[in-house]
């Protein structure tokens, strides 16, 4: 609960209340999608039929249900509304998911896969979404024009210490150099052994 001054501060900062948490079981990470995110999930399932993962890029897209829960979690934490978001590697199509909320200040998909980026760009253009794409090999530094321009980065890198280190470091390069920026990195504990998880945490 907030005082009148607290509500006025939130309004001036563009902060809004998140929906009340609803625990629906561990399978959904204790989250229950809002109606708007449920609609985005239905859209995502259709778009996913056109994604063809490429082994040479170590692509392993999340299932649409997992991707939408990840996006919803990030949204609930206040890192979507009014934010510039960058997806470092985007075979999960989160750049489109965030844009479909209609609440971002713009999204960027960074990926080495030109076909994937073409799919994202075509869908965004057809539906009037604020999504940019950047074809880039993240083993190379981020181009200067894109550095320090984003509020939130999201990545789902290869489940290795080197993979996580590389993708997260590129995400950090893309963040604004000021307080309040955030990064999200997905790591599978089934693919990365405990020693690897410990090294990543260090």
């Amino acid at each position: 609960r907030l005082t009148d001054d607290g509500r006025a501060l939130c309004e001036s900062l563009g902060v809004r209340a998140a929906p009340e948490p609803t625990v629906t079981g561990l399978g959904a990470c204790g989250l229950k999608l809002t109606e708007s995110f449920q609609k985005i999930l239905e859209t995502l399932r259709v778009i996913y039929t056109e994604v063809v993962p490429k082994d040479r890029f170590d692509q392993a897209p999340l299932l649409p249900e997992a991707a939408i829960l990840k996006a919803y979690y990030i949204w609930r934490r206040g890192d979507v509304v009014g934010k510039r978001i960058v997806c470092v590697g985007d075979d999960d199509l989160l750049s489109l998911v965030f844009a479909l909320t209609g609440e971002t200040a713009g999204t960027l998909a960074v990926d080495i896969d030109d076909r994937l980026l073409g799919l994202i760009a075509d869908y965004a253009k057809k539906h009037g979404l604020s999504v940019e794409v950047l074809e880039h090999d993240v083993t190379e530094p981020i181009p200067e024009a894109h550095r320090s321009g984003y509020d939130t980065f999201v990545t789902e890198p290869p489940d290795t210490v080197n993979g996580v280190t590389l993708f997260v470091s590129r995400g950090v390069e893309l963040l604004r150099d000021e307080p309040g920026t955030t990064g999200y990195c997905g790591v599978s504990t089934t693919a990365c052994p405990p020693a690897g998880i410990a090294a990543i945490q260090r």
Side-chain angles (χ1 to χ4, degrees):
R1 297 183 182 185
L2 298 173
T3 63
D4 290 341
D5 287 345
R7 282 192 290 275
L9 175 62
C10 285
E11 189 173 324
S12 70
L13 295 173
V15 175
R16 66 177 193 176
E20 290 295 317
T22 304
V23 177
T24 58
L26 295 177
C29 308
L31 300 173
K32 182 179 179 183
L33 297 177
T34 61
E35 186 177 332
S36 61
F37 269 84
Q38 192 64 49
K39 288 179 181 174
I40 294 172
L41 172 58
E42 297 307 317
T43 301
L44 190 61
R45 285 177 175 145
V46 173
I47 305 171
Y48 258 53
T49 61
E50 298 184 47
V51 175
V52 181
K54 295 180 180 173
D55 289 340
R56 67 189 175 109
F57 296 142
D58 200 20
Q59 292 175 336
L62 294 172
L63 293 172
E65 295 77 10
I68 205 78
L69 283 169
K70 183 175 183 176
Y72 181 60
Y73 174 79
I74 295 168
W75 176 81
R76 290 223 4 205
R77 289 181 55 87
D79 293 316
V80 172
V81 179
K83 307 290 186 178
R84 286 178 51 79
I85 304 171
V86 58
C87 300
V88 184
D90 197 24
D91 55 354
D92 302 318
L93 304 179
L94 289 182
S95 60
L96 291 176
V97 171
F98 293 128
L100 283 165
T101 67
E103 298 179 315
T104 73
T107 64
L108 171 69
V110 178
D111 208 286
I112 195 171
D113 185 349
D114 61 340
R115 184 185 182 281
L116 175 68
L117 292 176
L119 170 66
I120 292 169
D122 289 348
Y123 188 89
K125 183 177 181 181
K126 183 177 179 182
H127 297 277
L129 301 175
S130 180
V131 180
E132 296 178 71
V133 297
L134 172 63
E135 185 178 346
H136 184 69
D137 179 347
V138 295
T139 61
E140 301 294 332
I142 295 295
E144 196 66 44
H146 290 280
R147 290 188 190 180
S148 306
Y150 297 85
D151 304 292
T152 305
F153 82 77
V154 183
T155 189
E156 193 83 21
D159 291 307
T160 63
V161 176
N162 288 341
V164 171
T165 302
L166 175 62
F167 277 66
V168 169
S169 67
R170 295 301 179 234
V172 171
E173 283 182 57
L174 288 152
L175 292 179
R176 291 183 295 109
D177 188 19
E178 55 189 83
T181 59
T182 308
Y184 292 87
C185 174
V187 181
S188 168
T189 54
T190 55
C192 191
I197 298 292
I200 290 164
Q201 289 176 329
R202 281 196 299 274

